[in-house]
Amino acid sequence: MLGSLVFAISINYFLIPTRLGEGGVTGLTTIAYYTLKIPTYLTNFVLNGLLLLVGLKFLDRKTILRSLWAVVWLSIWLKLPVVYTYHTNQTLIPTMLGGVLTGIAMGLILNAGGSIAGSTVLGRILNKYFGISIGSATLFFDLAVAIPAIFIIGFENMLLTVLELYISAKITNMMLARFGAKRVLQVISSRYSDIAQAISDNLGQGVTVVQASGFYSKTDRPIIYFICTPREMARIIPLLKEIDSSALIITENVRSVRANDLYRLL
């Protein structure tokens, strides 16, 4: 609901007053408003509702229901009267504000397991089956609508729309990386057994010990491998240093992690 509200503010208070476009279904919504004066809330609900029906074949029911919830509330927020119309000759300002607000809105909605349907449904499908980040996949489909809008909003506003979409995609990816990020930690230490036990006790999950050997030292050096959140990593690394100050700790970012609870306990 909050993400939908922020999205509606971006559309009603920054994009439409500046006559900017958007991507995906929202872009089609603005075009319908500019050309035929069709209310944005109506176009949003009808077109996104149809896309959610398509998404039923590819996404789980929970995602579809949460997306429907977001779409319904977006239509409600779009229908509310605009309290104040923002006007400025500096079109770059509403472009950047619209992009930031849209990115925040998408980050909130996607992090909650939903979407605004439209290109985000297609973005979730690409993320699920091909591992492409949702923000980047959504940007691709958004541009497919935004660029042809040049015939409606003009060349300059089309370029500003592309800039707004780029900012939105960057903010979306940043928010998803911040809220849903995972880290892989690999630890090499002679006290691997103590370290593995400490990780298991503190995080309440299992760890994987990979049997390995050092080529130079010709000794066995098992590698501890586990996945955690950034917050858990900040808590566990000082503990690892306390157990073995000379331990080699390697950290990596993870784009996507899928597993059931049973696997985490192994």
Side-chain angles (χ1 to χ4, degrees):
M1 290 172 62
L2 178 60
S4 297
L5 174 60
V6 176
F7 203 151
I9 291 174
S10 174
I11 295 172
N12 282 344
Y13 288 82
F14 295 102
L15 301 185
I16 288 182
T18 316
R19 198 175 170 80
L20 295 177
E22 245 290 344
V25 168
T26 307
L28 297 176
T29 297
T30 57
I31 291 174
Y33 177 79
Y34 295 145
T35 57
L36 304 174
K37 296 300 179 183
I38 299 176
T40 54
Y41 73 89
L42 182 61
T43 310
N44 169 75
F45 184 77
V46 173
L47 294 182
N48 279 326
L50 294 175
L51 274 174
L52 284 176
L53 291 177
V54 175
L56 280 171
K57 297 182 178 180
F58 302 98
L59 301 175
D60 59 274
R61 187 172 299 275
K62 181 183 292 186
T63 299
I64 294 297
L65 290 176
R66 292 183 178 182
S67 299
L68 179 60
W69 182 254
V71 168
V72 168
W73 276 103
L74 177 59
S75 293
I76 293 174
W77 299 132
L78 287 173
K79 194 177 187 324
L80 294 179
V82 176
V83 178
Y84 172 75
T85 302
Y86 178 77
H87 289 292
T88 178
N89 294 326
Q90 302 296 326
T91 53
L92 193 60
I93 296 176
T95 298
M96 297 179 67
L97 287 174
V100 169
L101 290 176
T102 301
I104 292 174
M106 294 308 304
L108 290 171
I109 293 170
L110 292 171
N111 187 62
S115 71
I116 295 290
S119 55
T120 54
V121 167
L122 301 176
R124 273 193 171 279
I125 292 173
L126 287 184
N127 176 259
K128 180 177 181 180
Y129 292 100
F130 299 100
I132 301 174
S133 65
I134 297 177
S136 300
T138 301
L139 176 62
F140 172 78
F141 292 112
D142 283 345
L143 290 176
V145 174
I147 293 178
I150 185 176
F151 300 106
I152 306 298
I153 61 178
F155 180 72
E156 181 179 340
N157 280 11
M158 184 274 290
L159 292 180
L160 289 173
T161 298
V162 172
L163 175 61
E164 184 268 334
L165 290 173
Y166 176 78
I167 295 173
S168 174
K170 285 295 184 180
I171 297 294
T172 299
N173 282 338
M174 286 173 58
M175 289 196 65
L176 292 177
R178 186 175 184 85
F179 294 138
K182 296 290 185 181
R183 299 287 188 268
V184 165
L185 267 71
Q186 299 181 67
V187 184
I188 301 177
S189 169
S190 59
R191 300 187 60 186
Y192 70 92
S193 181
D194 295 334
I195 289 177
Q197 188 62 53
I199 294 171
S200 182
D201 293 341
N202 280 269
L203 299 186
Q205 70 175 60
V207 297
T208 300
V209 177
V210 181
Q211 297 300 323
S213 59
F215 178 80
Y216 179 78
S217 63
K218 305 300 182 182
T219 59
D220 292 336
R221 292 289 185 182
I223 300 174
I224 300 171
Y225 182 99
F226 66 100
I227 297 172
C228 63
T229 65
R231 180 177 297 180
E232 291 171 336
M233 183 180 72
R235 188 172 83 244
I236 206 70
I237 286 183
L239 179 63
L240 302 183
K241 288 295 186 181
E242 183 179 336
I243 297 174
D244 184 1
S245 59
S246 61
L248 174 62
I249 304 173
I250 305 168
T251 66
E252 296 179 83
N253 294 327
V254 179
R255 172 174 292 178
S256 178
V257 176
R258 294 181 177 87
N260 56 32
D261 292 337
L262 176 61
Y263 179 78
R264 285 174 57 85
L265 295 175
L266 292 178

